[in-house]
Amino acid sequence: MAELYHAVAQAIRQDELCAVVTVLSGDEIGRKLLVRRERKVEGSSSAVAATGSLGHTALEQAVLARAAEAMEARRTTRISLPVEEQEWDLLIDVHLPQERLVIVGAVHIAIPLVSFARELGLYTVVIDARPIFATQDRFGHVDELIRCWPDEALQEMKLNESSYVVTLTHDEKLDTPALICALNCPAGYIGALGSKRTHAKRVAALQEAGVSDEQISRIHAPIGLDLGGRSPGEIALAIMAEIVQVRNRRKEVGR
Amino acid sequence: MKDILADIDNWQQAGKRVALATVVQVYGSAPRPLGAKLAVSEDGAMVGSVSGGCVESAAVQEALEVLETGTPRLVSYGIADETAWEVGLACGGTIEVFIEPLDW
């Protein structure tokens, strides 16, 4: 008793993607299983039963596959699962990590971008080592303002699928190491500000640093949906709109 | 669920029993999605929500009964049944809520 709840609470507090499966009716009503993911090489992962029990091994085996799908789709689902001549009424309750927008570069565009992201319920982080950019006056509205080198800050952050990273510094020395860090993590969105020409140069620098083309293709560049805007607010809106689109499309795929 | 963990911890540390209500089915329009949660302490305090406020008091009653009996139950709130007339889902949808003692 209490062991399962503590495991669930800990996973949620640590912003881990997990699922809690509950039997909703029948003799085993109320039985639960916490399902977590075991990360394997190159971003693939498998679901593993962590704590709790549904009382039947065959049921748990069948549930793991469905829980993995639900976690992939990032969507809580009620299912009816036939196992051993019985129809099981189950809730697969998917707990998502808090969505985070990590902005590299405390530039002008970052100011409205923080406002939009907060409005949409995202936790916001701005990273910039340059003291004249990263000021409390400009970023009083951000959840976290980190004054250090972007790659160092990113390495400590444990970026996950609910983390969205944008690089806005326009400075290769800052953006490129930050992008390499982000690409090493399963971040749900990675975008880089800059023209097609800037991006071509960036791609070359990343290739030279040993980043694979497949990884490089995860970068959204030029960043943002094409709204035809030029002002900082319009560009911030285009970036935010693209993040929302990417996140919602991923959910759609799971339906 | 993250937003209700602190209250649950406080209640449990104070030696109080806690029930958990979770939205497990949504028909039509409903203010809270699948998985939305309401926690209830044995003295009737609540945190979180399973609707926009329209079925919470009924869910709290049900949760207190669940704490008494120790048995989880599935409860349906919607315009089609009588309790729903009393509690009234303003949006016209139906929700099914699973209510269980948090003893796991």
Side-chain angles (χ1 to χ4, degrees):
Chain A
M1 216 162 89
E3 185 200 350
L4 177 57
Y5 171 71
H6 286 303
V8 171
Q10 192 186 25
I12 292 171
R13 284 205 166 99
Q14 288 175 351
D15 270 335
E16 177 188 329
L17 176 65
C18 63
V20 178
V21 181
T22 306
V23 180
L24 298 181
S25 54
D27 292 341
E28 309 286 2
I29 187 169
R31 274 194 182 260
K32 278 176 189 287
L33 182 69
L34 167 63
V35 182
R36 317 174 88 140
R37 290 193 311 173
E38 206 162 59
R39 191 157 294 286
K40 292 180 180 167
V41 280
E42 280 292 311
S44 80
S45 61
S46 63
V48 288
T51 318
S53 154
L54 300 179
H56 296 258
T57 315
L59 173 62
E60 285 181 10
Q61 283 309 314
V63 157
L64 281 185
R66 300 297 296 269
E69 283 171 25
M71 284 193 279
E72 191 59 37
R74 310 171 79 71
R75 198 157 166 265
T76 292
T77 325
R78 168 110 173 244
I79 61 164
S80 182
L81 193 62
V83 176
E84 289 178 344
E85 294 175 11
Q86 209 179 326
E87 211 48 56
W88 295 88
D89 183 9
L90 307 164
L91 182 75
I92 303 175
D93 198 356
V94 176
H95 294 280
L96 296 176
Q98 163 79 48
E99 289 184 300
R100 273 190 299 182
L101 176 63
V102 181
I103 302 170
V104 175
V107 297
H108 202 164
I109 293 168
I111 298 171
L113 184 53
V114 165
S115 302
F116 294 147
R118 285 180 55 95
E119 193 62 43
L120 292 168
L122 279 71
Y123 182 86
T124 53
V125 182
V126 170
I127 309 169
D128 204 316
R130 301 166 296 180
I132 57 158
F133 285 91
T135 66
Q136 202 57 43
D137 276 354
R138 287 157 57 84
F139 290 96
H141 59 320
V142 75
D143 293 294
E144 222 177 305
L145 184 60
I146 302 176
R147 294 184 186 90
C148 78
W149 297 105
D151 50 332
E152 287 170 15
L154 288 175
Q155 255 158 18
E156 286 184 12
M157 271 186 179
K158 285 195 189 164
L159 301 171
N160 57 41
E161 293 91 338
S162 299
S163 309
Y164 313 132
V165 181
V166 299
T167 60
L168 306 179
T169 69
H170 256 310
D171 183 338
E172 216 179 296
K173 292 192 300 298
L174 297 169
D175 278 355
T176 305
L179 285 170
I180 291 172
C181 268
L183 289 170
N184 277 330
C185 303
Y189 173 94
I190 301 171
L193 187 71
S195 64
K196 282 190 179 132
R197 234 184 71 202
T198 309
H199 188 60
K201 272 171 67 187
R202 186 156 49 214
V203 168
L206 288 169
Q207 283 168 335
E208 203 164 305
V211 182
S212 72
D213 288 343
E214 193 192 340
Q215 286 287 61
I216 291 171
S217 68
R218 287 172 59 205
I219 303 171
H220 291 262
I223 197 171
L225 297 186
D226 186 4
L227 304 182
R230 288 191 170 266
S231 74
E234 287 175 321
I235 295 167
L237 182 63
I239 295 171
M240 199 62 239
E242 185 172 57
I243 293 171
V244 169
Q245 184 188 55
V246 167
R247 165 248 250 173
N248 290 347
R249 276 199 183 147
R250 196 169 45 188
K251 281 188 189 166
E252 282 299 319
V253 170
R255 287 197 180 191
Chain B
M1 183 164 184
K2 202 175 187 176
D3 52 331
I4 65 172
L5 290 177
D7 287 275
I8 293 174
D9 286 355
N10 287 340
W11 292 335
Q12 289 190 331
Q13 273 158 28
K16 291 174 190 166
R17 288 173 300 159
V18 179
L20 196 61
T22 305
V23 176
V24 295
Q25 193 71 265
V26 170
Y27 304 98
S29 72
R32 301 282 284 136
L34 220 58
K37 283 185 181 54
L38 170 76
V40 179
S41 76
E42 66 177 50
D43 48 8
M46 66 171 196
V47 61
S49 70
V50 288
S51 73
C54 33
V55 309
E56 266 70 13
S57 54
V60 167
Q61 277 313 311
E62 206 83 38
L64 293 175
E65 283 175 37
V66 162
L67 282 179
E68 282 306 308
T69 63
T71 316
R73 57 175 80 159
L74 263 178
V75 190
S76 179
Y77 299 103
I79 45 168
D81 68 53
E82 274 174 36
T83 48
W85 278 117
E86 286 165 31
V87 296
L89 269 178
C91 42
T94 303
I95 60 171
E96 215 175 332
V97 179
F98 185 71
I99 305 178
E100 61 190 322
L102 211 168
D103 57 3
W104 35 274

